[in-house]
Amino acid sequence: MKRRSFIALALAAPAFIHSACRKSGQSASVRYLPETEKTYPMIEVRGDYYDIGYFSGKYMRKQFHAIMEKRKDWVAGLDEFYKSDSGSKFVGGLKNALAKAYPQFIDEINGMAAGSEIDPDLMFAMSVKSEISAYGYENPGCSTIYYNDGMSNWLFQNEDGEAAYNDEMYVLKAHPPSGVSFAAFVYPGLIPGVAPGFNSAGVVHSSNFIGCLKPRIGIPRYFLARACLEVKSLEDAFATATREGRAFPWHHNLASMNTGRYISLETLPEGEYNYTEPEWLYIHTNHTIHEITKDYIYQDMDYRNSSSISRYNVLSKKAENFLEPVKNPEVFLGWLSSHEGRPYSPCRHPQSGITGQTLGTAFFDLDRKFMRLYKSNPCVSVPKGIYQEFSLSELTNPVI
């Protein structure tokens, strides 16, 4: 066998690691697949919550530290805030609320910090960055399209974030103690669940940021998403997303590969929530549109009226003259590849000091039960077929 072929095979093969980092003293299993032209790097972990965090941080350490370097000013601001008297009190309140609701995710954050060799307090601050309102908003946005004509049942999501994350994102497959495995697109340094993912119970979760001028001390939004990755049914996901004591508003896309149902859910930290179950074509970006929640008084209207409304109008205009049925998902992927309304277009690129970028596009086929993840901007990846697929069967029959 040629050396190059041997190396490629070795990298692709599962690597089982026995680690002394396990709190339980038992061994964890881990598999790492490097990035390719069509795929993001992937880490697969079977272990406890500390393990999931630890090996994510260890194998994606380069990506974690690249973000720290690219976003020096942002990191310095977070560091200064959580070390201040007022910041310590606020972040401490968020952490206490999380400890009461999901203490296992504090273990996961601590594992990420240890594996990547980053201060655990800073690591936690990164995952509550939305709630730390003193730093304003990054205004990344995300755009969602749902389509169901009785023959096709599809959910699409442009995952937009700071341009610094481009070329640094990764995929995590995890097999935690709950027995519910999941696959998720992940921001380096953040808890999984923020970007699109799905689990072995067939439950799909993605989200749209809602700007907020008055967050509360409560369960941070990213950790509610993390919890949704381990639910056992769509009903459980709904209950998780709407549980009392939320710190920040959010829009959740919840779907089931087993039942075909899709729920668009908007939640507010004051306790209100509103949802709908669209039956045909549906658009959502980054502002509240449902009856009970649409007039949310603490919504960031500057953000709503710029980034979110721009993308919503572009996609809604395309939907106005839409004729069903559609047999090819590339029709809607084409909508999400649009540059109309730049820099606040569905497919986002940094421009004129606006640093938001589309980091990847998720396509869920609820009938065929898979997630397809297009790499970086869809305007490039869709026509070139640059994507990878993750099936439900991969999670129900894992290799480790």
Side-chain angles (χ1 to χ4, degrees):
M1 181 180 292
K2 293 182 179 180
R3 181 176 182 272
R4 181 177 298 176
S5 299
F6 174 79
I7 292 173
L9 181 62
L11 287 172
F16 295 94
I17 298 176
H18 300 277
S19 172
C21 294
R22 284 293 301 268
K23 288 186 174 182
S24 63
Q26 299 177 8
S27 62
S29 300
V30 59
R31 182 172 71 120
Y32 172 72
L33 297 178
E35 182 177 15
T36 70
E37 181 183 355
K38 288 191 173 186
T39 68
Y40 296 91
M42 189 191 80
I43 179 74
E44 183 169 11
V45 183
R46 179 180 297 279
D48 63 23
Y49 293 95
Y50 187 89
D51 291 333
I52 292 169
Y54 177 81
F55 288 111
S56 295
K58 178 181 175 68
Y59 279 84
M60 301 301 164
R61 185 179 185 278
K62 178 181 176 181
Q63 287 84 348
F64 279 46
H65 283 268
I67 294 302
M68 303 288 283
E69 179 64 25
K70 290 179 181 181
R71 308 197 67 192
K72 283 182 178 179
D73 291 343
W74 174 72
V75 170
L78 289 174
D79 186 68
E80 180 181 356
F81 180 78
Y82 82 75
K83 288 180 178 177
S84 69
D85 290 341
S86 59
S88 176
K89 182 178 180 180
F90 182 67
V91 174
L94 294 173
K95 196 168 188 177
N96 288 337
L98 177 62
K100 292 178 182 178
Y102 303 109
Q104 68 271 31
F105 299 150
I106 294 178
D107 281 347
E108 192 166 323
I109 286 286
N110 288 338
M112 288 168 59
S116 60
E117 299 182 325
I118 293 173
D119 173 35
D121 289 331
L122 178 57
M123 185 71 73
F124 181 77
M126 291 170 67
S127 279
V128 296
K129 61 187 179 70
S130 297
E131 287 78 8
I132 301 177
S133 58
Y135 297 96
Y137 303 97
E138 299 175 8
N139 298 339
C142 294
S143 300
T144 300
I145 299 172
Y146 174 70
Y147 175 73
N148 186 353
D149 65 3
M151 293 179 287
S152 300
N153 194 0
W154 298 332
L155 176 65
F156 305 84
Q157 175 91 9
N158 266 7
E159 183 64 30
D160 299 344
E162 285 293 298
Y165 290 98
N166 195 39
D167 298 325
E168 307 297 348
M169 301 289 283
Y170 68 97
V171 173
L172 170 67
K173 281 187 180 180
H175 310 288
S178 66
V180 179
S181 300
F182 65 85
F185 193 35
V186 186
Y187 288 82
L190 303 186
I191 196 83
V194 183
F198 72 107
N199 68 24
S200 56
V203 178
V204 172
H205 181 271
S206 72
S207 61
N208 301 79
F209 171 80
I210 303 295
C212 174
L213 300 176
K214 192 177 180 180
R216 295 189 170 198
I217 290 179
I219 304 169
R221 69 185 182 109
Y222 287 176
F223 293 94
L224 289 171
R226 174 65 184 84
C228 284
L229 290 176
E230 288 188 59
V231 296
K232 296 182 178 179
S233 67
L234 189 64
E235 292 74 17
D236 287 346
F238 187 91
T240 297
T242 58
R243 68 174 295 166
E244 292 295 324
R246 303 183 296 275
F248 208 85
W250 217 356
H251 173 249
H252 299 264
N253 296 294
L254 305 175
S256 171
M257 293 178 175
N258 293 328
T259 67
R261 288 178 62 196
Y262 164 74
I263 299 174
S264 169
L265 169 66
E266 295 176 350
T267 63
L268 306 182
E270 290 73 20
E272 293 90 350
Y273 61 86
N274 202 183
Y275 72 96
T276 185
E277 295 191 46
E279 296 181 352
W280 182 47
L281 178 60
Y282 180 75
I283 306 294
H284 204 294
T285 54
N286 298 97
H287 60 282
T288 53
I289 61 176
H290 297 170
E291 188 62 32
I292 294 174
T293 48
K294 66 180 180 179
D295 296 321
Y296 176 46
I297 61 173
Y298 296 120
Q299 189 163 184
D300 182 347
M301 298 304 289
D302 289 340
Y303 173 63
R304 175 191 182 277
N305 294 332
S306 57
S307 175
S308 186
I309 287 292
S310 174
R311 288 175 287 110
Y312 186 80
N313 287 345
V314 168
L315 294 173
S316 295
K317 184 178 179 181
K318 293 180 181 296
E320 284 178 2
N321 301 316
F322 176 73
L323 298 175
E324 60 172 322
V326 171
K327 296 182 179 180
N328 191 339
E330 290 194 9
V331 170
F332 299 111
L333 290 165
W335 292 14
L336 291 175
S337 301
S338 171
H339 297 134
E340 185 179 350
R342 291 185 72 166
Y344 300 121
S345 50
C347 182
R348 299 195 58 186
H349 299 259
Q351 179 181 329
S352 304
I354 307 298
T355 58
Q357 177 162 350
T358 302
L359 305 170
T361 300
F363 162 46
F364 294 94
D365 190 317
L366 301 182
D367 290 334
R368 295 171 63 193
K369 301 182 180 181
F370 68 74
M371 174 179 73
R372 180 181 296 173
L373 193 57
Y374 288 88
K375 197 172 184 180
S376 193
N377 288 96
C379 63
V380 175
S381 59
V382 170
K384 292 185 176 181
I386 302 174
Y387 66 82
Q388 59 196 122
E389 287 186 355
F390 303 90
S391 68
L392 180 60
S393 62
E394 289 178 40
L395 295 181
T396 55
N397 300 285
V399 297
I400 66 171

